[in-house]
Amino acid sequence: MPVSASPSFNLQPSANRQIATTNYIGSNAFDWTNQYLPDIYEKEFERYGNRSVSGFLRMVGAEMPCASDLIRWAEQGRLHLKYTGVTLTSDTNGTLVMTIPIPNNYGGYPQGTNVQPLATGTAPGAAGDTVNVGIRVGQTIFAQQENGVNSFHAVVSAISYAAPAGTQAFTCRIYENLNLASAVASTFSVWIYGSEFTKGSNGMTESLQPFDSYFFNNPIILKDRYTVTGSDMTQIGWVEVTSENGASGYLWYMKAEHESRLRFEDYLESSMIEAIPSNSGRTAGAASLGYKGTEGVFSAVTSRGNIFSGGFPTSLIDFDAIVQRLDKQGAIEENAMFVNRAASFAMDDFLAAQNSYGTGGTSYGLFDNSEQMALNLGFRGFRRGYDFYKTDWKYLNDPTMRGQGTSSGTVAGSVNGLLVPAGTTNVYDEVMGQNAKRPFLHVRYRETEAESRKFKTWAVGSAGGAATSDADSMSVHYLSERCVCVLGANNFFIFQS
């Protein structure tokens, strides 16, 4: 049987060291242009720098375990009572009748849930209803007309429980020699400043109970995974990396697993920031499939906190308005502002403009024209009634997350910054059944002695050392169950369009 060579090689060596088509290996069987190994940069180039956006909650809050799928806490109500929208019904020579709508608002909370029922009397409306107005006979009040025209002092002489449905009336005697006939049917703001009783009179016949506002949140379950086949695990390819968490060195195929873990860690934080509770108003929405959602930081501050709706503060006038609002809340001395780049620059500009020396305020600080000096045009903080510290928040600058804003901060739905009070606050923990001191902002994760769901990870499959299934692969799973608690949200500010 003849032997044939396939493919045939037709090499013609040359007496001189020169390249010719007849003496080059690969001229017919091989691609000679690729006979050499390529030059490979073994170090991975960090094209986008540090890509992680987490770290905010680690800086401003804390993490603590919980054993229930519902977190409940109580926050103190205001100590003093104020009523708005109170109508002056009549003025009979100094005897005034005023009507309070129920529920009424004071201090930002519904009156009907803030003041406990009085000890006596029946409320207007349905039989058996209780009185929700805390004005009592013998108390002294100050009333200010909401258009700013009139104000007066008076002492409450009678409570009328037979007022029209949805209202509560009281009679008071004015101290001033003031005719308020022209103010009848006008609305007033009324607050209590004390009491006065005549000689020999009985004492206060009714009492008020303290009020707490009750809030709750529930943890959500977050999951992710990374999978690599057994065959790919045998393909060796080392890459030198510097990771976002500060580690450096060489990684094999687990480079992708490493990034999956980092991405999941970012999701743990961004979920606590962005999440909202499910609303059952849409019959085919998330709630219909059992997704509960949870109250994230933005949701809590938007619904229970303070909103600066002008994009971001760009002047001392804006901050004066913020300070005046904070005066009406907890008056926390130190506050941290986490803002995007546009808001940070705007604050630097108006702070620098407060310097009267030099055009544009560029000569503030020590300026000795030294060749070693770098001019610093940024501010880390300032004091205006309270201490404000400013830092850039990468989450609001990253274009793959919230970094969609403009220099004016007026993109619809954009969040340009968050003002977070520093320190802790006292709340009543309903699960613990006692008062507890908690950071204003903190994360709760599910954990018991038998199970911790703070950050779980495990491998399944038949490759890479795993021997739990017949799958020719290894899958790494990640899981966490957590929620964020925003205590005293009335002390927070969100800067948005």
Side-chain angles (χ1 to χ4, degrees):
M1 179 178 177
V3 177
S4 60
S6 178
S8 60
F9 295 91
N10 185 20
L11 301 180
Q12 298 181 10
S14 173
N16 299 318
R17 288 182 294 180
Q18 62 183 10
I19 298 176
T21 58
T22 58
N23 71 350
Y24 204 95
I25 296 176
S27 60
N28 48 11
F30 302 103
D31 182 4
W32 61 271
T33 60
N34 287 326
Q35 67 167 315
Y36 302 108
L37 292 175
D39 286 337
I40 298 177
Y41 287 97
E42 65 177 12
K43 184 173 178 58
E44 185 182 46
F45 181 68
E46 300 172 25
R47 180 178 181 183
Y48 294 107
N50 188 335
R51 297 162 298 166
S52 176
V53 296
S54 64
F56 165 72
L57 290 177
R58 287 196 297 268
M59 286 190 293
V60 302
E63 293 183 337
M64 55 192 68
C66 65
S68 174
D69 59 1
L70 184 65
I71 313 297
R72 290 183 62 90
W73 70 93
E75 298 181 8
Q76 288 181 338
R78 292 192 181 269
L79 186 61
H80 302 287
L81 307 181
K82 180 179 179 179
Y83 299 90
T84 59
V86 181
T87 303
L88 177 60
T89 305
S90 64
D91 177 5
T92 306
N93 198 24
T95 299
L96 311 178
V97 177
M98 307 193 79
T99 303
I100 300 177
I102 302 176
N104 189 273
N105 288 329
Y106 85 98
Y109 296 106
Q111 179 67 42
T113 59
N114 267 14
V115 179
Q116 298 297 320
L118 299 182
T120 60
T122 57
D129 285 351
T130 54
V131 175
N132 289 310
V133 174
I135 293 180
R136 296 168 289 170
V137 174
Q139 289 187 311
T140 52
I141 64 170
F142 178 76
Q144 192 169 38
Q145 196 169 355
E146 293 182 350
N147 63 10
V149 176
N150 294 292
S151 63
F152 62 88
H153 299 75
V155 58
V156 179
S157 58
I159 302 293
S160 173
Y161 300 114
T167 62
Q168 174 68 58
F170 66 92
T171 302
C172 58
R173 305 299 180 98
I174 192 171
Y175 282 98
E176 294 93 344
N177 182 15
L178 181 63
N179 188 344
L180 294 171
S182 61
V184 170
S186 299
T187 56
F188 287 75
S189 296
V190 175
W191 61 90
I192 302 165
Y193 69 86
S195 62
E196 182 180 356
F197 291 85
T198 59
K199 291 181 179 182
S201 62
N202 294 329
M204 189 76 71
T205 59
E206 298 163 327
S207 66
L208 294 179
Q209 300 299 321
F211 159 76
D212 279 339
S213 294
Y214 296 94
F215 302 100
F216 69 92
N217 204 5
N218 58 272
I220 57 173
I221 301 173
L222 298 98
K223 296 181 180 181
D224 208 338
R225 70 180 293 174
Y226 165 73
T227 300
V228 58
T229 66
S231 296
D232 288 341
M233 293 175 70
T234 63
Q235 183 70 37
I236 300 177
W238 295 92
V239 178
E240 185 181 1
V241 301
T242 301
S243 65
E244 279 74 7
N245 61 7
S248 62
Y250 291 87
L251 292 177
W252 189 11
Y253 61 89
M254 298 302 283
K255 156 67 177 174
E257 190 277 335
H258 176 70
E259 291 203 354
S260 297
R261 177 185 295 266
L262 289 177
R263 187 182 303 110
F264 183 68
E265 290 177 351
D266 277 4
Y267 288 160
L268 294 183
E269 178 162 309
S270 58
S271 294
M272 299 298 96
I273 295 170
E274 294 284 356
I276 63 172
S278 292
N279 190 310
S280 58
R282 304 293 291 178
T283 57
S288 65
L289 297 179
Y291 295 104
K292 298 183 296 182
T294 187
E295 185 182 55
V297 176
F298 289 165
S299 175
V301 178
T302 301
S303 62
R304 298 189 279 117
N306 306 285
I307 300 175
F308 184 93
S309 58
F312 42 76
T314 58
S315 67
L316 287 181
I317 295 177
D318 290 339
F319 266 97
D320 288 348
I322 292 174
V323 169
Q324 291 171 13
R325 178 65 178 174
L326 293 177
D327 283 339
K328 297 178 174 61
Q329 307 303 323
I332 307 302
E333 184 69 18
E334 295 185 345
N335 300 272
M337 295 181 297
F338 297 85
V339 296
N340 62 13
R341 186 67 73 180
S344 180
F345 283 164
M347 294 180 192
D348 287 340
D349 290 345
F350 82 71
L351 289 173
Q354 308 310 309
N355 181 18
S356 60
Y357 300 99
T359 303
T362 57
S363 62
Y364 56 85
L366 181 62
F367 190 87
D368 57 4
N369 201 27
S370 169
E371 69 276 7
Q372 302 296 327
M373 187 197 71
L375 185 61
N376 184 2
L377 297 179
F379 291 86
R380 292 183 179 179
F382 62 97
R383 181 171 180 82
R384 183 74 169 180
Y386 303 100
D387 290 324
F388 296 95
Y389 304 100
K390 173 175 66 70
T391 185
D392 291 327
W393 190 1
K394 188 175 182 181
Y395 181 74
L396 299 183
N397 291 323
D398 193 298
T400 61
M401 304 302 280
R402 276 278 185 171
Q404 78 277 24
T406 63
S407 59
S408 62
T410 56
V411 174
S414 65
V415 174
N416 304 297
L418 187 71
L419 184 148
V420 180
T424 60
T425 184
N426 288 316
V427 296
Y428 181 78
D429 192 315
E430 288 194 302
V431 177
M432 296 174 59
Q434 63 184 18
N435 287 328
K437 183 171 287 188
R438 295 283 182 260
F440 283 96
L441 194 63
H442 62 274
V443 173
R444 303 295 297 266
Y445 56 87
R446 298 289 301 275
E447 183 178 88
T448 63
E449 295 180 356
E451 172 79 359
S452 175
R453 298 170 72 82
K454 180 179 181 180
F455 191 113
K456 290 186 63 177
T457 179
W458 67 96
V460 298
S462 63
T468 58
S469 72
D470 61 353
D472 186 16
S473 62
M474 181 186 71
S475 294
V476 182
H477 292 258
Y478 316 100
L479 179 146
S480 181
E481 187 171 3
R482 59 180 57 204
C483 69
V484 66
C485 296
V486 181
L487 307 183
N490 57 302
N491 296 286
F492 288 69
F493 250 100
I494 188 170
F495 307 140
Q496 65 181 28
S497 299

